[in-house]
Amino acid sequence: MVESRLTRVLLRLGAGVTLAFIYLPLLLIGLYAFNRNVTQEWPIRNYSTRWFRVAFEDEQVRDALQLSLLAGVGATVVSLVLGTLAALAVSRYRFFGREVISFAVILPIALPGIITGLALQATILDVFGPLGLSFGLATIILGHATFCVVVVYNNAIARLRRTAGSLDEASADLGADSLQTFRYVMFPQLRSALLAGALLAFALSFDEVIVTIFTAGAQQTLPIWIFATLSRPAELPVVNVVALFVILLSIIPVYIAQRIAGAGALATERTVRGPVAPTIEAEP
Amino acid sequence: MTSVTNAEAPPRVSPGRRLSTFFYRHPRLRLAALLALPVGWMVVVYLGSLVVLLLSAFWDTDPFTAEVVREFTLDNFRDLFERDVYRDVAWRTIRMAALVTVADAVLAFPIAFYMARVASSRTRNLLIVAVLMPLWASYLVKVIAWRTVLSSGGVVNWGLEPFGVQFDGLSTVGLWLVFTYLWLPFMILPIYAGLERIPNSLLEASADLGARATTTFLRVILPLAFPAVVAGSIFTFSLTLGDYIAPGLITSEQFIGTVIYQRRGENLPIAAAFAFVPIVVMILYLLVARRLRAFESL
């Protein structure tokens, strides 16, 4: 070790301060959810769980939750299919334009969300609209799936790189057809990677707001409901409860995904809005 | 013509089997079958949308009905260049992006350094997860948390009260803090990866040659880690340029994102044209970053 003792103590301190900076606001939102008063003042004087009841009985919140869950599941299913297919093609074949695919999959999260959102809005309005697709659940899924593909793709391709294509061939030699090979040979190897990818895709979709505002029309997902309700001070306590709920529902799948596939699985998305991924080797 | 007839009955061939054989004999077709859906989706939904966006930047709007008129015009871009509002907003946003980037680099370096070179491998893995997890916590909720923290009755002003200081958190300074917070993990991870790649032998060599720790840091570690900082700055810069929610919730000042967001309903073409600004800035930024060898540390 080259670093002196003092440097190490200072570094530890710096790391601690940064971590505190990262986590304190999240903890505070958790505390505010239990604030009994309507005014958002610090320190919190009375704690209660009354706003949880109010939140769960709120019709709008329930509708928004339902829409968010549907959108999350829809986007996850679509991106599972698209991401797996693309990963299989890229990992098992060499072809012209192979690099372009990895790039095209990452592009939707590499460009600022407002550009993806605006582009989708213009297209839904001008192109898909006349074809009969109006703003709603379908267009929300359309947008979400587009930027969720990358998490499934990244997880699947990382796994496929470590598994041998010769197994697929052996399976075919033993008389399995393509579907059987996928079901009995490839899928068991891919399962945990796909599960991690799916959980991340769901988490990504569930709390997305920047693109969703452009593709949802008059519909409200849970984050859009929060965004719209922020301007009504009387409802802020309910917003805090819903916010806590959204945090939990996006962090829990991510935590599970990380347990399944290692921290590397997480590093593939938001850390990697750029052209290439900083790979973090932390296999279980 | 000779027809070959098998003495034994041919084995029953299932349709799936036949399909597999067919695809095995025609690997190009199998590849096409795999790629059709994902490539079709990306091209039709995403790239197609981008093209529509680019095209609509050259369209016009009817001033009375706010309907989009599909006639080619460069008026939107002329507006962008000639009207001070747009220029001011663009500059303000770029300046904010630069300041956020600097703040993130300063904050990220110590923890990244600690993770890469001091922590045990167990602590390191814990820290990686600790840094990564909040990235996935709802972006919107984090902004709300900060709005509460920075507001006049919030934690920050409560902490400053004994000193008799009032801090207007819902301001440009507050927004700078919020952006710095939001994108910090994007900076920590590339720097961590960059620092981890520096071989220990280099640092030992520097010490052997008589350099003190500060000299080694300034003349060996920092130059080697710089491309990683640039790599992280791609995220902090790009994300700040395009954001419209945090500026809208924290300040009343206009930024590129908020202008695009507000104009999108009443004048889509000008919003689309203004969206070119972050795209062009990011392309230039990426070109410079490539020059600085940042891509290799991504």
Side-chain angles (χ1 to χ4, degrees), chain A residues 42-43, chain B residues 149 152-165:
Chain A
W42 188 264
Chain B
V149 168
S152 55
V155 175
V156 170
N157 274 309
W158 171 78
L160 291 174
E161 212 185 328
F163 306 100
V165 186

Side-chain angles (χ1 to χ4, degrees), chain A residues 51-188:
Chain A
W51 298 111
F52 283 79
R53 270 257 319 274
V54 179
F56 285 117
E57 281 167 3
D58 190 317
E59 199 87 11
Q60 276 189 336
V61 173
R62 269 198 233 166
D63 289 351
L65 173 64
Q66 194 189 352
L67 185 64
S68 277
L69 290 174
L70 283 175
V73 171
T76 306
V77 170
V78 174
S79 43
L80 262 181
V81 173
L82 300 181
T84 313
L85 287 173
L88 281 173
V90 168
S91 66
R92 293 290 187 255
Y93 296 87
R94 327 224 140 258
F95 54 92
F96 179 73
R98 193 159 157 262
E99 310 296 315
V100 181
I101 295 201
S102 311
F103 184 72
V105 166
I106 291 171
L107 203 60
I109 48 167
L111 284 178
I114 193 166
I115 290 173
T116 308
L118 193 65
L120 285 172
Q121 187 199 345
T123 309
I124 294 165
L125 222 52
D126 283 340
V127 184
F128 294 135
L131 296 175
L133 183 69
S134 53
F135 290 98
L137 177 62
T139 53
I140 297 174
I141 293 178
L142 194 83
H144 284 194
T146 303
F147 58 76
C148 285
V149 170
V150 66
V151 283
V152 176
Y153 172 83
N154 276 340
N155 272 286
I157 205 155
R159 181 64 54 89
L160 283 168
R161 283 212 180 101
R162 278 182 281 137
T163 57
S166 53
L167 284 177
D168 313 347
E169 283 164 16
S171 161
D173 287 347
L174 292 168
D177 63 42
S178 300
L179 272 182
Q180 286 170 324
T181 302
F182 183 79
R183 176 153 167 21
Y184 295 112
V185 180
M186 298 171 104
F187 185 69

Side-chain angles (χ1 to χ4, degrees), chain A residues 1 11-12 21-23 29 42 93 114-115 123 126 146 175-178 207 210 214 223 226 270-271 274 277, chain B residues 17 20 30 41 49 70 113-114 117 130 135-136 138 140 144-145 153 181 186 189 235 242 244 257 264 279 298:
Chain A
M1 274 298 155
L11 278 172
R12 189 163 294 154
F21 178 59
I22 291 177
Y23 277 94
I29 268 292
W42 188 264
Y93 296 87
I114 193 166
I115 290 173
T123 309
D126 283 340
T146 303
D177 63 42
S178 300
D207 64 14
I210 294 183
F214 288 90
I226 294 180
R270 297 197 187 175
T271 41
Chain B
R17 185 69 246 170
S20 305
R30 182 160 59 168
W41 182 283
S49 296
R70 290 195 182 82
F113 196 91
Y114 180 76
R117 311 212 64 93
L135 267 185
W136 293 84
S138 170
L140 182 59
I144 297 172
Y181 172 83
F186 294 100
L189 292 164
F235 306 122
Y244 62 93
R264 79 193 212 281
I279 295 180
L298 271 173

Side-chain angles (χ1 to χ4, degrees), chain B residues 28-43:
Chain B
R28 293 281 114 187
L29 281 179
R30 182 160 59 168
L31 175 64
L34 281 176
L35 280 176
L37 272 177
V39 169
W41 182 283
M42 278 343 250
V43 169

Side-chain angles (χ1 to χ4, degrees), chain B residues 36-83:
Chain B
L37 272 177
V39 169
W41 182 283
M42 278 343 250
V43 169
V44 172
V45 176
Y46 190 65
L47 300 178
S49 296
L50 286 181
V51 171
V52 171
L53 179 73
L54 298 191
L55 285 179
S56 38
F58 296 98
W59 288 339
D60 209 352
T61 35
D62 187 310
F64 297 108
T65 59
E67 290 272 318
V68 174
V69 183
R70 290 195 182 82
E71 279 167 20
F72 180 84
T73 171
L74 287 172
D75 286 359
N76 302 317
F77 289 95
R78 216 188 42 224
D79 270 5
L80 289 189
F81 279 107
E82 285 178 359
R83 294 187 44 195

